[in-house]
């Protein structure tokens, strides 16, 4: 099947991703009258949903989302974990997962999107759906949409993706995966408090969220707004994660708080009554791995200063998220 995707506002508002008409029940929509908000529901074939958000862009949120997903997958219970990139205007998951040139995803017989796979993890992103031109890859293709189309595209990415199976290199679906689906879906949200997190909070039963920040006050002020919004739409906040907390000099092995001390971050978290999940050090290999499409949690490089500590902190964050999800129930 072929989609009829269009990246401009001329595309149909009720089907911006150009998906075939579903033969199953339609996805929920948000009524224009505020008196008739829909009831939140589960995503099909997904037991738990964890959102990774930030008030401000450029704090490493997408990198955290990808590595958190793999840290959760490494839990001793070996849960089935997937990634959903809801950053429509600046999708990062294709690059971070090494799938930026993977082409468009397949469709099921019912017209649902089949997630792409790398490093053993299924993922879906707007970046997989953007058309490419003869002169450039789809990395240069902008999405020029207004609010209604953004909301509908988010609804389609939430409810028109088939998480029931895992695609192998031969494009065959594992029968065991088809029967069980995902234990955890990690959702990478765009920064800010716009249409995307609002749509997620209104339509989906979200089980937890991690809000990423850096130590600067300009980032923390946006964190407070993000926490307030999540509480307003009923998204439970698992905790805050401080990224780029400190840098350890490779020659003198002395830690430096190059973006400011974490004191203010801890005060903000305490004042809002939100737990601090961890404080991530600055490790150059994290960014280098992301550029290569290899998440740092999967990298065997432990010689770099701070690498072992970084993975330890991320593993601890995943452990705290796991405890909140209560998958044993």
């Amino acid at each position: 099947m072929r989609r009829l995707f269009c990246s401009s506002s001329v595309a149909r508002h009720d089907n911006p991703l150009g998906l075939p008409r579903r033969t199953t029940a339609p996805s929920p929509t948000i009524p224009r009258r505020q008196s008739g908000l829909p009831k939140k529901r589960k995503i099909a074939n997904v037991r738990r949903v964890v959102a990774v958000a930030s008030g401000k862009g450029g704090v490493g949120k997408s990198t955290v989302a990808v590595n958190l997903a793999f840290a959760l997958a490494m839990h001793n219970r070996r849960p089935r974990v997937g990634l959903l990139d809801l950053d429509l205007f600046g999708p990062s998951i294709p690059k971070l997962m090494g799938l930026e040139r993977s082409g468009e995803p397949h469709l099921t017989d019912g017209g649902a999107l089949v997630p792409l796979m790398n490093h053993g993890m299924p993922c879906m992103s707007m970046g997989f759906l953007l058309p490419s031109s003869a002169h450039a890859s789809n990395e240069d293709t902008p999405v020029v949409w207004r609010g209604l189309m953004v909301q509908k595209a988010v609804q389609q990415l939430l409810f028109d993706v088939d998480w029931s199976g895992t695609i192998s290199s031969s494009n065959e679906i594992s029968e065991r995966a088809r029967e069980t689906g995902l234990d955890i879906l990690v959702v990478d949200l765009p920064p800010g408090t716009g249409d995307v997190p609002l749509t997620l909070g209104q339509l989906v039963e979200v089980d937890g969220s991690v809000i990423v920040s850096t130590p600067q006050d300009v980032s923390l002020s946006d964190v407070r707004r993000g926490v307030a919004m999540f509480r307003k739409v009923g998204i439970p906040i698992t905790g805050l994660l401080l990224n780029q907390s400190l840098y350890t000099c490779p020659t003198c092995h002395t830690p430096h708080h190059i973006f400011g001390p974490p004191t203010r971050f801890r005060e903000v978290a305490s004042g809002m009554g939100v737990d601090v999940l961890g404080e991530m050090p600055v490790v150059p290999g994290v960014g280098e791995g992301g550029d290569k499409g290899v998440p740092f949690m999967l990298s065997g490089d432990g010689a770099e200063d701070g690498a072992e500590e970084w993975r330890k902190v991320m593993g601890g964050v995943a452990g705290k998220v796991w405890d909140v999800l209560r998958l044993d129930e």
Side-chain angles (χ1 to χ4, degrees), residues 50-54 64 68 207-213 223 226-227 230-231 235-242 265 269 272-278 317 320-321 324:
V50 177
V52 179
S54 68
V64 167
L68 175 61
D207 301 281
S209 64
V210 175
I211 299 180
V212 183
S213 179
V223 165
V227 169
F230 274 22
R231 285 173 170 166
I235 294 179
I237 301 169
T238 307
L240 304 185
L241 176 64
L242 179 62
F265 170 81
M272 294 186 298
V274 180
D275 292 337
V276 174
L277 299 177
V317 174
K320 294 174 182 178
V321 171
V324 169

Side-chain angles (χ1 to χ4, degrees), residues 162-278:
D162 183 7
W163 298 105
S164 65
T166 303
I167 305 303
S168 69
S169 58
S170 60
N171 290 330
E172 293 179 353
I173 299 178
S174 164
E175 290 302 324
R176 177 178 177 273
R178 179 177 287 281
E179 294 173 358
T180 54
L182 297 179
D183 293 309
I184 305 170
L185 179 63
V186 177
V187 181
D188 181 23
L189 292 174
T193 57
D195 287 331
V196 176
L198 179 60
T199 302
L200 175 73
Q202 289 180 329
L203 296 181
V204 176
E205 293 182 19
V206 181
D207 301 281
S209 64
V210 175
I211 299 180
V212 183
S213 179
T214 50
Q216 303 97 321
D217 280 345
V218 68
S219 179
L220 293 173
S221 62
D222 290 333
V223 165
R224 289 193 292 268
R225 298 187 187 97
V227 169
M229 175 189 179
F230 274 22
R231 285 173 170 166
K232 186 172 184 178
V233 298
I235 294 179
I237 301 169
T238 307
L240 304 185
L241 176 64
L242 179 62
N243 199 22
Q244 304 173 1
S245 174
L246 57 86
Y247 174 70
T248 301
C249 175
T251 55
C252 67
H253 306 288
T254 302
H256 300 277
H257 294 97
I258 55 178
F259 296 114
T263 309
R264 181 59 179 158
F265 170 81
R266 297 168 185 168
E267 291 175 350
V268 169
S270 176
M272 294 186 298
V274 180
D275 292 337
V276 174
L277 299 177

